[in-house]
Amino acid sequence: MSSPRDDDPRDDPRDDPRRQEPGPLGDDGPGGPGGPDAPGGVRRDPSAGGPVVSWSPTAPGGSRPRTPGVVEQVFAYRGDTVGAQGWALQHGWTITDGTAPEDAVLAELVASAPVRASRDHRAAGVMRGRAGNLELVAFDVVYTDKRYTVPEWAVTAAPVLVPLAPGLRLSPARFWRHRTGGLLHVPSGDQAFDDRWVLLTAEDGPAVRRLVADPAVRDLLLRSDDGDEFWAAAGHLAAVRPDGHRPALIEHHARLLTAMVAALAGAA
């Protein structure tokens, strides 16, 4: 039962003349939700190639920012371009912007990648060097519009001297796959591996079989988070993962590609 005090309309906080209605969502004014003083949200630097600037939402009253949830941490922007290029320089790698003559082959890698890239996507932040005995090229696949350059995928590729079967793709079983018409599924014979990874190719052959039969390749993939996809194109074996490149990802791809290239060559 409510008391007379509860029914007094003067107690309604909506009648307080000091109360201010919240501004509209998407207000980009100096103090608006999208402005530089915003306590929460994400904004991209308008300069080309700029990073994504993010803020953690702050509770009312100026309390400590909340800890991002698991999903926010997984999908948070981590395209550490400067860090990746600093790592590359420290290891004696060379860097180009994706427009050098030697970068022309990367357009074919981007166009054939097992991701939904468009004609507006291109290679950028290209790094070349050696990881052990393997020559590698690592780059971001970026989307550029009038204001932003956004790294959407990180690619690492290694040139392969042995002929590669057309359409060769190795993907986590949990991933949705597109442009797979006409490709054959090649099982490894290891049920634990086949439950998590799918190998597709237009033509079966000894090199393809060696790739999934190699114990080092299977062990590395089974100990991974099933977050990378692999494909062959333009004389390269390549790996791709969402987000921009960072040092740990280059090293991760280098380990996987080293084992895979050795398996394809029959030198594992």
Side-chain angles (χ1 to χ4, degrees), residues 43-152:
R43 185 186 65 178
R44 297 192 182 279
D45 189 337
S47 60
V52 175
V53 182
S54 62
W55 297 268
S56 297
T58 304
S63 60
R64 179 180 300 178
R66 67 177 180 82
T67 302
V70 174
V71 173
E72 291 173 299
Q73 294 182 43
V74 170
F75 291 100
Y77 176 78
R78 303 182 189 278
D80 185 10
T81 302
V82 175
Q85 292 187 359
W87 177 95
L89 291 173
Q90 290 175 2
H91 288 76
W93 289 30
T94 60
I95 297 174
T96 60
D97 63 359
T99 61
E102 61 269 28
D103 296 334
V105 68
L106 304 182
E108 186 175 346
L109 281 173
V110 172
S112 61
V115 297
R116 300 188 69 86
S118 70
R119 290 178 296 178
D120 295 318
H121 286 89
R122 64 177 180 83
V126 181
M127 299 163 280
R128 283 185 171 83
R130 297 184 67 86
N133 295 323
L134 196 64
E135 291 284 349
L136 291 177
V137 55
F139 59 92
D140 290 342
V141 178
V142 302
Y143 175 84
T144 303
D145 65 12
K146 295 179 180 178
R147 297 182 60 192
Y148 310 127
T149 297
V150 184
E152 296 200 62

Side-chain angles (χ1 to χ4, degrees), residues 9-21:
R10 291 174 296 177
D11 291 333
D12 190 339
R14 291 172 296 180
D15 296 331
D16 188 342
R18 296 170 296 176
R19 181 177 182 270
Q20 295 182 357
E21 293 294 333

